C-alpha cells in the first residue's frame, strides 16, 4: 500500500479547509473530472466516548466517480474526519 503525505502552508483557517475537504457531496462542483459523489454510509464515534464528545470524529464510505470523455471510473473511499484537525482518506 502506498502512503502519500502532503504538508502545505495555506492562508485559510483550519475550520475553512475542513469544511471544504470533508464535504464530499460537493466534490463534483469543484474537483476536476469528478462527475458524482455519493455517501454510502456515515457513522459517528460512540457519542458516549470521550473523544467523540470533544471532537465529533466520524467516518464515511464515499463512492466517487471520475471521468473524462469516454472514460469513467467509480471507486469507494473510506474517509475519517476529525473536525478542524484531520481528514484521512484510504482507498
Amino acid at each position: 500500500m502506498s502512503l502519500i503525505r502532503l504538508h502545505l502552508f495555506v492562508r485559510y483557517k483550519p475550520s475553512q479547509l475542513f469544511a471544504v475537504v470533508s464535504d464530499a457531496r460537493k466534490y463534483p462542483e469543484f474537483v476536476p473530472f469528478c462527475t458524482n459523489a455519493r455517501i454510502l454510509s456515515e457513522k459517528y464515534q460512540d457519542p458516549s466516548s470521550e473523544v467523540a464528545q470533544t471532537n465529533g470524529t466520524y467516518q464515511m464510505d464515499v463512492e466517487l466517480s471520475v471521468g473524462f470523455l469516454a472514460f469513467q471510473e467509480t471507486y469507494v473511499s473510506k474517509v475519517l474526519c476529525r473536525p478542524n484537525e484531520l481528514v484521512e482518506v484510504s482507498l
Side-chain angles (χ1 to χ4, degrees):
M1 178 191 290
S2 297
L3 176 66
I4 298 172
R5 290 189 183 205
L6 180 63
H7 295 270
L8 297 171
F9 291 99
V10 294
R11 296 178 188 188
Y12 299 97
K13 295 178 183 178
S15 59
Q16 292 172 309
L17 288 173
F18 182 84
V20 170
V21 174
S22 65
D23 192 359
R25 288 177 183 91
K26 291 188 178 179
Y27 282 8
E29 296 175 18
F30 65 89
V31 175
F33 308 111
C34 182
T35 59
N36 191 38
R38 184 168 64 116
I39 307 300
L40 301 175
S41 68
E42 187 171 20
K43 64 180 180 180
Y44 288 80
Q45 279 190 346
D46 177 3
S48 64
S49 78
E50 192 174 313
V51 173
Q53 289 177 358
T54 58
N55 67 16
T57 299
Y58 61 97
Q59 182 174 336
M60 300 181 287
D61 289 331
V62 182
E63 179 183 79
L64 295 169
S65 298
V66 292
F68 180 73
L69 298 176
F71 300 99
Q72 183 79 18
E73 186 65 41
T74 299
Y75 63 94
V76 176
S77 290
K78 290 195 177 299
V79 182
L80 175 67
C81 297
R82 192 172 304 136
N84 305 323
E85 184 180 334
L86 170 77
V87 175
E88 182 176 287
V89 179
S90 58
L91 300 175

